[in-house]
Amino acid sequence: MKQIRKVNEAWNFYNDFILQSFSKRSQTTENGRWKNHISPIVGEKIINELTIFDLFELRKSLEAKKLSPQTIFHCLSLLRRILNRIVDYDPSVQVPKFRNVMPKFDNRRLRYLSRSEFDRLLNILKKTSKAWFDISLFAVNTGLRRGEIFNLGSENINNSDRNICILDSKTHKNRVVPLNGTAFKIISHNKNKKIFTLSAPKIFEQAVEEAGLNDGIKDSRHKVVFHTLRHTFASWLV
């Protein structure tokens, strides 16, 4: 590997050899963070000359754009991964510590649905979209993430053991998820190569609005989104 001196060169290496193994969505997101927020501030700096003050300057520029603490955290995390990967290949490279630069926040979503709230949502979806009715019912019975659901193919299903194998998940770990009667019934009715098709994604949001599940709620952590179904699954399981 040729010697990498500038942060821009470190990004090129990371983009070419690391990021390409990620999903297309992740690649697009990380490229946007790099081009719009990170590269203009530190891209031309020499890696070995980077200081913690440079990191604070980057954070200051992100805050000036009124970005959320979570977005700032993700941008700084991307830069840290880029630099750490270079250190892995060349231990002589020195990079500053990020520990005191990272913003602290709790952006976890807290909301889950009661059974009556979920029934209200299902009744609306049943009238507007059979596909989203099945998707929502499947989600609350399996706890799968949105991306995992829409990546499911017939090859993921084990009919004899009534489970599905989730490959290349968000945590990059494969896992087997058992299916209860409701989930298995939904999935066994679909014989397509892709079990679920993402069509008219606004239908779920419109159903949430019609059900009044977000009425009067200002804090995004309490608002109902599709990921709320994963929290609902966990809550009901407990």
Side-chain angles (χ1 to χ4, degrees):
M1 184 179 76
K2 72 174 186 176
Q3 185 180 19
I4 293 176
R5 297 181 66 251
K6 292 185 176 183
V7 179
N8 271 333
E9 295 170 341
W11 159 256
N12 291 335
F13 174 82
Y14 182 84
N15 187 36
D16 291 343
F17 297 103
I18 309 300
L19 196 56
Q20 297 307 311
S21 65
F22 288 41
S23 69
K24 292 295 184 184
R25 181 178 179 181
S26 293
Q27 291 179 43
T28 300
T29 300
E30 297 288 58
N31 269 278
R33 288 171 181 153
W34 171 257
K35 292 177 181 177
N36 297 324
H37 304 308
I38 305 173
S39 179
I41 306 301
V42 298
E44 289 300 317
K45 291 186 178 292
I46 304 299
I47 295 174
N48 274 331
E49 296 177 2
L50 272 178
T51 69
I52 193 168
F53 298 105
D54 294 314
L55 302 183
F56 275 113
E57 281 296 323
L58 173 59
R59 175 173 166 173
K60 184 179 179 181
S61 75
L62 299 174
E63 291 171 339
K65 295 179 180 180
K66 305 298 184 183
L67 299 178
S68 70
Q70 185 178 35
T71 299
I72 294 172
F73 183 90
H74 285 318
C75 288
L76 290 169
S77 294
L78 173 58
L79 178 59
R80 180 169 57 184
R81 289 196 302 275
I82 293 168
L83 297 176
N84 285 344
R85 189 52 61 125
I86 297 305
V87 173
D88 288 342
Y89 286 96
D90 184 359
S92 67
V93 173
Q94 300 293 318
V95 299
K97 301 294 184 183
F98 280 70
R99 185 181 303 115
N100 295 325
V101 183
M102 305 300 286
K104 293 179 173 60
F105 66 96
D106 186 353
N107 204 40
R108 291 173 296 178
R109 292 189 179 274
L110 306 173
R111 182 75 180 276
Y112 61 88
L113 299 178
S114 67
R115 294 189 182 272
S116 61
E117 286 176 322
F118 184 62
D119 287 343
R120 195 156 79 240
L121 177 64
L122 276 186
N123 287 333
I124 294 171
L125 289 172
K126 191 173 185 178
K127 299 173 186 175
T128 56
S129 172
K130 175 64 165 59
W132 276 100
F133 175 88
D134 285 347
I135 291 166
S136 301
L137 190 58
F138 186 79
V140 89
N141 278 278
T142 59
L144 295 188
R145 298 178 178 90
R146 181 190 184 104
E148 293 171 342
I149 291 174
F150 289 110
N151 284 331
L152 277 179
S154 54
E155 70 277 5
N156 298 100
I157 305 172
N158 184 333
N159 287 302
S160 59
D161 291 334
R162 289 199 170 196
N163 62 41
I164 51 179
C165 183
I166 304 299
L167 304 174
D168 303 320
S169 69
K170 182 179 179 180
T171 59
H172 305 292
K173 293 181 180 179
N174 301 333
R175 71 184 193 280
V176 174
V177 177
L179 300 175
N180 62 19
T182 300
F184 184 75
K185 184 178 180 180
I186 293 171
I187 211 168
S188 61
H189 284 171
N190 196 322
K191 304 300 182 182
N192 299 325
K193 187 173 181 180
K194 279 288 185 184
I195 304 303
F196 301 106
T197 303
L198 180 56
S199 59
K202 292 292 185 182
I203 287 178
F204 182 85
E205 297 173 14
Q206 291 165 354
V208 167
E209 183 178 353
E210 185 177 340
L213 298 177
N214 287 332
D215 288 357
I217 297 176
K218 303 299 182 183
D219 192 326
S220 63
R221 290 170 294 184
H222 291 282
K223 287 194 173 184
V224 173
V225 295
F226 188 80
H227 194 73
T228 305
L229 301 182
R230 177 172 166 83
H231 289 202
T232 301
F233 163 82
S235 175
W236 290 3
L237 192 64
V238 171

